[in-house]
Amino acid sequence: MPSTDQLLQAMRRGTASLQRRAMAKAITLLESTRTDHRAQADELLTAMLPHTGNSFRLGISGVPGVGKSTFIEALGLYLIGQGHRVAVLTIDPSSTVSGGSILGDKTRMELLSVHERAYIRPSPSSGTLGGVAEKTRESMLVCEAAGYNVVIVETVGVGQSETAVANMTDMFVLMQLPNAGDDLQAIKKGVMEIADLVVINKADIDAIAATRAELQITSALQLLGMHGGSGHAHADATQWHPKVVQLSALLGQGVDSFWLAVSEFRSLQTANGRLTLRRQHQALSWMWERIDAGLKQNFRAQPRVQTLLPQLSQQVASGQLAASTAARQLLAAHAHSQPVRADARPT
């Protein structure tokens, strides 16, 4: 593995092919679970930070089959035509049986994947909830350090709880299909509350259904805004009010209108300071996510926990012990495994 300085220099000033290889190696390093790689990864992140934060981070989610990959390719090619450099991070679901992932999203973007001003990186979800991978945030920083000014994150396919991508991007886009449900279904979807922009794709198939879906979702968004639960209260003229747009990614229709809405959102949120505030909250959230993950890893590594875990797991599985009781016993074992400070006094 090249040194941190070599990777950063190759990403910043290397040729197109050298830059791609350096980015791939950097993301692989960040995704590694080896202890020695983790130390080098932290060093790389620290070195990259001064060169990050200059891109626009766009999260795109939606049910499987809504056309996310087709839309991202159409959008990416449009943005490249406008002079942008586009990085796409796609998240592929990992099998709960084998643990493997197909990582085939890149093959759906044949034109974008070979363009010299685009970079596409598929990553496995590896059991991480929220529709994203564990190291997606770090991968975004690699793309920014390499000079890509639009970073798109595509989730595995959203459910009502898979909303983590909204907590790591500047704008969260939810893709919908015509005839996807009535207005009550639109309100029930938890992701609708945090969507900054809703896209109705495949509008060319049934124009009447697409228009009906646009009206229903617009009505649902207004209702959510009236109650202030979505963070998009319509009484505040300085806030962005979520919009609904129709397009056909397959035909490339409506992509320009979509990007016009994105640009309007970016300008408004930058002017009112909410974009900066959003990134600050995301950085703190990222810190606590890594703390939670580190505590869980440390918990599993404790010798006393490893000794008790098989026995308690068997008792819970056989119904001899309540899961909550087993959890408390394991936590107590972990607490007793921690070193006691020399100046600590008993309570």
Side-chain angles (χ1 to χ4, degrees):
M1 180 68 68
S3 68
T4 298
D5 290 338
Q6 289 173 331
L7 278 177
L8 187 57
Q9 288 300 319
M11 285 192 295
R12 298 281 299 164
R13 298 181 177 84
T15 62
S17 59
L18 184 61
Q19 184 185 65
R20 286 172 180 268
R21 287 197 297 270
M23 292 175 67
K25 290 179 180 178
I27 294 176
T28 299
L29 174 66
L30 293 168
E31 291 178 343
S32 175
T33 56
R34 284 176 44 176
T35 304
D36 56 333
H37 284 176
R38 218 33 267 165
Q40 188 179 357
D42 289 339
E43 182 182 346
L44 177 62
L45 283 171
T46 301
M48 287 192 307
L49 277 181
H51 310 288
T52 61
N54 297 318
S55 75
F56 187 73
R57 305 165 182 173
L58 189 65
I60 296 180
S61 193
V63 296
V66 74
K68 294 188 296 292
S69 297
T70 303
F71 170 62
I72 289 173
E73 179 171 55
L75 175 62
L77 294 173
Y78 171 81
L79 293 176
I80 288 173
Q82 300 294 312
H84 298 282
R85 298 184 70 206
V86 181
V88 181
L89 303 174
T90 68
I91 316 301
D92 201 47
S94 297
S95 169
T96 57
V97 178
S98 66
S101 296
I102 298 175
L103 302 179
D105 287 313
K106 192 172 181 178
T107 62
R108 297 174 179 160
M109 308 179 196
E110 296 181 3
L111 297 178
L112 188 62
S113 62
V114 298
H115 203 289
E116 63 178 8
R117 295 183 64 84
Y119 178 79
I120 302 176
R121 170 76 180 210
S123 295
S125 63
S126 301
T128 303
L129 298 178
V132 295
E134 184 181 8
K135 300 301 173 62
T136 299
R137 296 179 188 270
E138 287 93 331
S139 300
M140 290 169 57
L141 297 181
V142 170
C143 297
E144 292 181 348
Y148 290 85
N149 63 337
V150 178
V151 179
I152 300 172
V153 181
E154 177 195 356
T155 69
V156 297
V158 75
Q160 290 194 20
S161 63
E162 295 179 2
T163 57
V165 69
N167 198 34
M168 63 177 64
T169 54
D170 298 324
M171 186 177 196
F172 177 51
V173 177
L174 178 63
M175 296 188 67
Q176 295 281 84
L177 288 168
N179 290 321
D182 56 20
D183 48 356
L184 181 58
Q185 289 293 331
I187 296 174
K188 284 169 61 179
K189 292 183 175 66
V191 290
M192 195 69 71
E193 295 179 340
I194 58 173
D196 298 304
L197 186 64
V198 179
V199 171
I200 300 173
N201 192 25
K202 304 182 181 181
D204 57 301
I205 297 178
D206 189 339
I208 296 177
T211 300
R212 182 169 59 248
E214 179 181 359
L215 293 174
Q216 290 172 346
I217 295 173
T218 300
S219 176
L221 290 172
Q222 290 175 346
L223 182 60
L224 291 170
M226 285 173 59
H227 289 278
S230 66
H232 302 296
H234 283 258
D236 189 350
T238 64
Q239 284 196 53
W240 167 260
H241 305 317
K243 296 183 178 182
V244 185
V245 298
Q246 297 183 36
L247 57 81
S248 171
L250 185 62
L251 302 180
Q253 298 174 350
V255 177
D256 52 348
S257 299
F258 167 83
W259 188 247
L260 184 63
V262 173
S263 301
E264 183 182 345
F265 170 89
R266 184 178 187 179
S267 298
L268 180 61
Q269 298 296 84
T270 300
N272 62 24
R274 296 184 183 275
L275 191 60
T276 300
L277 189 62
R278 183 168 178 163
R279 288 196 176 188
Q280 290 173 349
H281 289 164
Q282 289 172 355
L284 292 173
S285 176
W286 178 18
M287 180 186 72
W288 281 108
E289 285 176 13
R290 303 317 311 146
I291 290 173
D292 291 341
L295 289 173
K296 186 176 181 179
Q297 185 178 11
N298 177 266
F299 173 82
R300 289 180 174 273
Q302 287 295 334
R304 294 186 64 171
V305 171
Q306 291 177 340
T307 301
L308 283 174
L309 189 58
Q311 175 189 352
L312 294 180
S313 297
Q314 192 272 332
Q315 291 177 352
V316 170
S318 62
Q320 299 175 3
L321 186 67
S324 57
T325 303
R328 280 194 293 271
Q329 292 182 14
L330 288 168
L331 289 170
H334 175 263
H336 292 149
S337 300
Q338 300 303 306
V340 179
R341 287 169 40 198
D343 61 344
R345 295 193 177 104
T347 58

